[in-house]
Amino acid sequence: MTESPQDVVFWTPKVRSETRPDGSILVWQDGALEPYPAAITDEFMAWAERTPDTTWIAERGPGRAWAELSYAEAAHRIRAIGSALLALGLGPETPVLILSGNSTAHALIALGAQHVGIPSAALAPAYALTGGDHLKLRDIADQLTPGLIFADRLAPFAPAVKAVFPADIPVTTLEGDMPGRRVIPFDDLLATAPSAAMEEAHAAITGDTVAKFLFTSGTTGTPKAVIQTHGMLCSNQQIIRQCFVFMTRTPPVVVDWAPWNHTASGNKVFNMVHYNGGTYYIDDGRPTPDGIARTIENLHEISPTWYFNVPLGFQMLLEAFETDDRLRETFFKRLQMLFYAGAGMSQPVWDRLTKVSEEMVPGGVLLTTGFGSTETGPFALACTDRQERSGNLGIPAHGVVFKLVPQGDKLEGRIKSPSITPGYWGNEELTAEAFDEEGFYRFGDAFRFADPDDPAKGFLFDGRLAENFKLNSGTWVAVGPVRAQLTNDLGGLASDVVIAGEGQDDLGALVVPNWAALRDLAGDGSEGAALLAHPRVRAAAAERLAAHAARATGSSNRVTRMIFLAEPLEFDKGEVTDKGSINQRAVLRHRAELAQALWEGDVRVIVPEKADQV
């Protein structure tokens, strides 16, 4: 067992609420949001003065050695890059488009652009690497007019750049060439002398200056450019600092794989580190059967103080914790907090993670989550009270007002705070639809009180309103809670589920299998379709489905049939994002025949009464 980390300090909230005559409810907490800087790089530059030799960022280099960059070195490079981008004529209307994944160079060019008021826009690399017609990349090109494209290694991205972007848009790269297009070596940007124009441009930044664009596809699959201003990013980081007070005592050390083209890591974690003078180790692993080995290698060497992952990632780490003493020791050595997001965490994973945490650290480590979106910075709701079950999203953070509006038997969540986006770039109609008449941003999600008599106890997710549907009886189905409950009730056999049944008499599910758990059940080396059809697997699934059905209160929350998905979900079809969350409607749209097979006697269907059918 490791020594207990220093006392972890969070803010002590005083929650207020008001029920209005129209039935809407406002929830907020006392205590002002403290002042925050004008530009997202201001705190970075302050840390470069105060702790110049502290490592800001590190990534694996040749031979798998960590290549580290200090705050002082990085501050000089950020100023140099900003000067170079201004000399190229870039500005607010000509952002830097970033095609590559997480890397030190990616971080530098993003902050270099933002430091002088030039927006950056990091895209999912898969948009450019999956071949085909590059439809999502073309949608983005229609919305933005980039002045420069960054790709750390040009060759993999060159076909997409050539196919989608005009030849007069230059590219900067660490490696590679592209005939017919100006290619600027990244080292040339780093070698630029910091200029007076750079200093003037930085001084001119206000809270309304656009810092970056993040793209979110929503349920339609069409990327939307969400404006991220400096005021958004800075206020959100101050909100986080006032919540995670312990970071003011111990600058965070993170080991993080999550992509910077998403708000969870690209805004919250990435900026949280340099806002608080911490160190960011880029994890080149992923929560996949192949990628988890690199994450484990990195966590063997680096002990985080604050750790973020998606539930699937935690599930994979748990399997390693249970057999790898060295990993457990290093991981928990100085850990102060575990944070999950991107999807709901099943109770079995929660229980196992809590158990190993309590075994390694006296009193355990806080395991928690929150709620936000790309449009909210993302930090909006946060839970800092220890919970016995997963799912509590917490309460509004400092400066956030949470509004709950009745929608039938649901409460739709809306928020107002200084870290809300001004809207979607070039899309006034979509922007207008995103806000209500009082200026509250509409999540499009339903929430419920964890304790109806005490808003200080937090909130639970109650389903995405756009995902909900009716059964043939006219009964509404709240998909979110059903997904979470069935995933829990399958007891580790499922990584996630998709709920089907619109217009049917009962509910069915397409189940994303936890392949490792199924292999353990079968115990004979079966794989693929043979594993899914294995009698032990089907019997266990049928037994747990029966227990789920017995606990349900009616047809709207009782799943009576399921099929394990044999094929992985596809990013290109919008079924899954590159951070691992599932788009329920996209899966049902692209796998309509399989969903329909749930009610047509298909041999793959598992129901409680037919566990042995194959």
Side-chain angles (χ1 to χ4, degrees):
M1 179 178 288
T2 64
E3 296 182 0
S4 179
Q6 68 172 61
D7 291 338
V8 178
V9 181
F10 300 98
W11 95 107
T12 303
K14 294 181 180 179
V15 177
R16 308 295 185 191
S17 65
E18 173 191 344
T19 301
R20 305 159 102 189
D22 64 359
S24 64
I25 304 168
L26 299 181
V27 182
W28 70 98
Q29 63 164 293
D30 283 348
L33 182 64
E34 295 175 5
Y36 47 87
I40 193 58
T41 54
D42 282 352
E43 282 292 275
F44 193 112
M45 297 303 166
W47 286 110
E49 292 291 331
R50 292 196 294 265
T51 59
D53 297 328
T54 296
T55 297
W56 160 52
I57 199 165
E59 66 177 326
R60 293 289 192 181
R64 304 289 294 159
W66 288 106
E68 300 178 345
L69 188 66
S70 72
Y71 273 87
E73 294 169 320
H76 177 79
R77 296 184 187 188
I78 287 167
R79 291 186 172 107
I81 290 170
S83 301
L85 298 182
L86 288 174
L88 288 171
L90 275 62
E93 302 290 331
T94 48
V96 175
L97 202 65
I98 300 172
L99 297 182
S100 299
N102 300 1
S103 69
T104 298
H106 176 154
L108 287 170
I109 197 163
L111 291 178
Q114 293 166 27
H115 187 69
V116 294
I118 298 170
S120 67
L123 309 185
Y127 287 172
L129 296 177
T130 51
D133 295 329
H134 305 296
L135 295 180
K136 289 191 175 184
L137 194 60
R138 292 182 189 278
D139 283 337
I140 290 167
D142 288 341
Q143 297 178 59
L144 295 183
T145 53
L148 181 70
I149 297 170
F150 168 79
D152 51 8
R153 286 163 183 79
L154 186 52
F157 298 95
V161 172
K162 182 178 180 181
V164 175
F165 297 100
D168 61 349
I169 299 177
V171 173
T172 185
T173 183
L174 282 74
E175 178 184 302
D177 198 6
M178 192 172 176
R181 188 179 298 263
R182 183 184 179 191
V183 175
I184 303 169
F186 188 71
D187 284 346
D188 287 1
L189 304 184
L190 299 180
T192 304
S195 65
M198 174 270 297
E199 299 291 359
E200 292 171 4
H202 177 75
I205 290 173
T206 70
D208 294 330
T209 302
V210 179
K212 63 193 291 190
F213 299 103
L214 284 175
F215 284 85
T216 177
S217 61
T219 58
T220 65
T222 301
K224 299 172 293 188
V226 185
I227 300 167
Q228 313 279 296
T229 67
H230 282 267
M232 272 185 73
L233 302 183
C234 293
S235 62
N236 208 246
Q237 286 304 315
Q238 186 59 38
I239 289 170
I240 293 169
R241 180 183 281 176
Q242 287 180 232
C243 175
F244 303 155
V245 179
F246 62 90
M247 290 188 182
T248 64
R249 301 184 177 189
T250 307
V253 175
V254 307
V255 182
D256 188 39
W257 65 268
W260 294 340
N261 54 281
H262 283 286
T263 187
S265 190
N267 274 1
K268 178 187 172 183
V269 184
F270 178 81
N271 288 327
M272 181 185 76
V273 170
H274 67 74
Y275 196 86
N276 295 285
T279 302
Y280 196 120
Y281 288 89
I282 298 174
D283 176 9
D284 56 350
R286 291 181 68 79
T288 65
D290 294 331
I292 194 65
R294 288 202 168 187
T295 291
I296 290 170
E297 177 192 2
N298 295 331
L299 290 173
H300 272 143
E301 298 180 21
I302 308 299
S303 298
T305 63
W306 186 96
Y307 189 74
F308 165 83
N309 214 326
V310 296
L312 179 59
F314 279 116
Q315 178 179 305
M316 290 181 168
L317 283 177
L318 276 167
E319 292 160 6
F321 286 152
E322 290 164 355
T323 59
D324 188 335
D325 293 341
R326 177 187 167 201
L327 177 64
R328 285 200 309 275
E329 290 288 341
T330 305
F331 184 80
F332 287 99
K333 182 177 181 180
R334 55 181 179 180
L335 190 68
Q336 297 178 313
M337 186 175 180
L338 292 165
F339 196 97
Y340 73 92
M345 179 176 282
S346 69
Q347 193 61 34
V349 172
W350 173 280
D351 291 340
R352 289 169 65 197
L353 194 53
T354 299
K355 181 175 182 292
V356 72
S357 165
E358 291 173 346
E359 290 172 350
M360 297 306 299
V361 179
V365 175
L366 178 68
L367 171 59
T368 190
T369 190
F371 193 88
S373 70
T374 307
E375 290 86 351
T376 70
F379 205 77
L381 305 182
C383 181
T384 57
D385 290 329
R386 292 182 184 270
Q387 304 290 319
E388 293 184 359
R389 299 188 61 81
S390 67
N392 193 311
L393 305 174
I395 62 173
H398 283 93
V400 176
V401 179
F402 193 38
K403 178 181 179 182
L404 297 123
V405 179
Q407 299 285 349
D409 62 349
K410 299 284 183 180
L411 291 172
E412 180 194 3
R414 307 176 184 180
I415 75 162
K416 185 181 287 187
S417 89
S419 66
I420 302 294
T421 181
Y424 302 96
W425 187 254
N427 197 326
E428 294 182 3
E429 181 179 353
L430 194 61
T431 297
E433 293 172 357
F435 297 89
D436 69 12
E437 66 283 354
E438 293 184 291
F440 282 81
Y441 170 72
R442 306 171 186 261
F443 277 123
D445 297 308
F447 300 82
R448 68 181 190 274
F449 291 92
D451 180 344
D453 298 321
D454 186 1
K457 298 297 185 183
F459 294 88
L460 304 175
F461 184 70
D462 204 19
R464 179 124 188 107
L465 295 174
E467 291 182 342
N468 298 343
F469 58 81
K470 287 184 179 181
L471 291 169
N472 193 35
S473 63
T475 302
W476 275 103
V477 176
V479 168
V482 178
R483 283 179 67 185
Q485 188 61 55
L486 180 60
T487 303
N488 282 342
D489 290 345
L490 288 175
L493 301 184
S495 295
D496 208 333
V497 302
V498 172
I499 303 300
E502 187 165 7
Q504 301 287 346
D505 294 331
D506 55 1
L507 294 178
L510 303 179
V511 177
V512 180
N514 176 356
W515 291 100
L518 301 193
R519 291 186 190 100
D520 287 345
L521 266 176
D524 61 4
S526 296
E527 292 290 345
L531 178 58
L532 299 183
H534 197 286
R536 291 194 193 98
V537 169
R538 292 178 62 84
E543 179 183 355
R544 295 174 199 192
L545 190 60
H548 159 82
R551 283 190 286 266
T553 59
S555 61
S556 66
N557 59 17
R558 180 185 297 116
V559 177
T560 63
R561 58 197 71 224
M562 58 177 273
I563 293 177
F564 279 116
L565 288 169
E567 302 296 329
L569 301 180
E570 296 188 38
F571 172 84
D572 276 352
K573 293 181 177 179
E575 294 179 328
V576 62
T577 71
D578 55 357
K579 67 177 181 180
S581 58
I582 291 176
N583 184 330
Q584 159 100 9
R585 286 203 171 274
V587 174
L588 293 176
R589 182 167 62 249
H590 292 293
R591 300 177 191 246
E593 290 185 6
L594 185 61
Q596 186 60 35
L598 286 161
W599 289 273
E600 293 181 348
D602 191 288
V603 296
R604 293 167 293 180
V605 175
I606 298 173
V607 296
E609 295 78 14
K610 297 181 180 180
D612 58 349
Q613 180 183 339
V614 293

